[in-house]
Amino acid sequence: MIRMHPFAIATLILCATTPHASAQQIEKSPHLALGGKVPLIKTEAQLRTFLDDLEAQRFLLTTGLGIESYHQWLGNSPHLVSQFTRLNNQLLGRKDYAAVIERWLGKVKDSQLARRLDVQRTDFLISRANPQDILTLGESQVKLQDAVLAFRYSFGGKRVTMTELGETLRLQPDRTQRREAFLANAQAAKANKGRILACMRLNDRIGRSQGFLNGADANLQIQGLNRRQALKDLEDFERSTRPMMQELLAQVRRDLKLDTAQAWDIDYWLHQQEIKGGIDPWSREAGVPRLKELMTALGFEPEKRMIGLDVRDVPVGGIAFPTRPAFESRLLTNPFSGSEFYITLFHEYGHALHGVLINPKLPPGLLNVDPAPLSEGVAECLGHFAYDHNWLARAAGVSTERAAQLERIGKLQLLLWLRRTICLNSWVEIRAYDNLNADLDALYAEGFRKFMLCELPKGHFFGMIEVYGTSPLYLTSYLYGNMVATQLRAAMKSEFGVEDLSSESRVGPWISKHIFFPGLSIPWSKKILLSTGKPLGVDALSKYLDAAPR
């Protein structure tokens, strides 16, 4: 099969708009020329033709951007992420296209057409902003991501990656070395803080120009979330899980014989619990074969899916790209040790499945994965299988008792990740938009104390998380994603009448039917209501974390 470069496809489309036609002929055409003027639209049929063409142009750009982003993360240079980002933002900045969408909202009889308008309206909100701000933000985000991918920490006389630094925190018995590894995070903060703040200020200006309270409010509402509710949910989660976190710190302190458990002690203690007895149940070499065996048992038929999988050292846990929705996805996952490798691998494979199991007959505007809260939720739903005691007993051959112990450790790791990485950073990021000129290092230290229940060493740590700049307010979706994951799992157990989902072949078809196949034709919150019988809530997540076997 010959793969054609997206720019070559764009050239074909330009040629297909009749290159020798006059401007008057093009304006009379019922079709939207590539980047052209709005044609005459007086009927639903004409509106549908306009949307067909607009969505096709957007699909062209987002597919190209997905491919180029994949190569950017692989470290392949030069890449065309900046060019595709600019073209995509220029298209979304078209006020004339946005005006058509606004004019027809609530005025069409066809329900699918109405949904397509809703989706486009959300995406075209950026047309309200200064076009130059949009383009500058896109370019700044690409430069920030390139800088993060190229960054190396100075540690132990070497230049090391984020993954290598994390492995020190997990594997190093020398507490002094672990502390130094933790403090090395400040190097990334120092290197990237300026770029991150520049992106945040642009994002804030854009959000305000769209009519939102600030940049945080804008990005949360675009995901279908609410700033006030998000802060409340963060506070509620912190309060409800505080006893579990206190118990975790106390156990770390007792087992490692410490006066005070610090941030650089917890990952080491958790890994020691995983390898207790001298057997690592999460062999890295067995990871991919076990993934495919699990996905087969769940009914996802992995041998039929076009999913590229590569284990690479990237500056996040992993990342997936729906490079051609409904047909092809690609994922990168980090070569971690222990359960983290499996959790990330399973999670990213969930994203990849989301991209290839959409109904291919949907219009291009609906042919996409769900917004972050639901897409991360389904990925987490599969990621949780990595420490499921039923699956561990079967796949790793450990005893039932040991599998139960390992599930408890897995849930403690999830608790730690949600409090330390997700809730802490989400709380800081939302609060930062109240005043981006405030002492953000002090704000970060306050958040650290709140969610980690220990003191952050003195230093400049705001800016460790580049996602503040590259994907504003995305981290919050992981808290909601875990609410989604646990609610979906509870619903499947109830409907199937089973406790063990890890060998249940109805899981894949059920998730595909309720979540993947409809694409964007159904709002994500309605999918949760239809599939689980209740709106999204925190109850299932709290019950899941508290059910860790002792």
Side-chain angles (χ1 to χ4, degrees), residues 220-329:
L220 286 169
Q221 290 204 40
I222 287 170
Q223 294 181 60
L225 301 173
N226 175 282
R227 179 182 179 276
R228 180 179 295 178
Q229 185 63 46
L231 284 171
K232 180 181 183 302
D233 290 336
L234 288 166
E235 294 284 353
D236 288 348
F237 181 79
E238 191 287 315
R239 186 168 50 254
S240 67
T241 59
R242 191 184 307 158
M244 296 181 230
M245 188 66 186
Q246 290 170 331
E247 182 182 343
L248 171 60
L249 292 173
Q251 196 163 355
V252 171
R253 189 171 63 248
R254 287 193 301 269
D255 289 354
L256 297 184
K257 298 179 172 55
L258 303 172
D259 293 332
T260 305
Q262 299 290 353
W264 47 86
D265 298 317
I266 306 172
D267 295 277
Y268 175 73
W269 178 84
L270 285 167
H271 184 67
Q272 293 304 301
Q273 308 314 301
E274 287 188 348
I275 62 174
K276 192 177 288 185
I279 298 174
D280 182 0
W282 291 284
S283 159
R284 189 186 298 167
E285 292 72 23
V288 175
R290 287 180 181 175
L291 164 73
K292 293 180 178 178
E293 289 171 4
L294 173 62
M295 295 304 143
T296 299
L298 296 178
F300 280 115
E301 301 180 304
E303 71 283 353
K304 296 182 179 180
R305 313 300 168 206
M306 192 181 295
I307 295 176
L309 192 162
D310 202 354
V311 180
R312 290 287 185 101
D313 190 335
V314 292
V316 291
I319 187 168
F321 304 86
T323 43
R324 182 17 175 123
F327 296 123
E328 181 182 4
S329 292

Side-chain angles (χ1 to χ4, degrees), residues 190-205:
K190 181 180 179 180
N192 297 320
K193 182 177 179 179
R195 293 188 182 95
I196 291 170
L197 274 174
C199 289
M200 292 179 75
R201 289 191 173 106
L202 276 168
N203 182 60
D204 189 49
R205 189 155 70 229

Side-chain angles (χ1 to χ4, degrees), residues 47-106:
L47 174 66
R48 185 176 289 104
T49 299
F50 168 77
L51 281 181
D52 287 345
D53 293 340
L54 176 61
E55 290 173 0
Q57 292 181 28
R58 291 200 59 202
F59 192 79
L60 167 71
L61 291 172
T62 54
T63 302
L65 180 57
I67 293 169
E68 292 303 309
S69 296
Y70 173 72
H71 284 283
Q72 179 191 34
W73 280 82
L74 283 175
N76 295 337
S77 183
H79 54 72
L80 301 174
V81 174
S82 288
Q83 292 91 327
F84 273 100
T85 299
R86 184 178 68 252
L87 290 169
N88 190 54
N89 286 336
Q90 285 174 336
L91 179 60
L92 291 175
R94 291 287 297 258
K95 296 182 185 297
D96 51 347
Y97 296 173
V100 172
I101 295 162
E102 293 286 348
R103 187 166 66 247
W104 281 89
L105 279 172

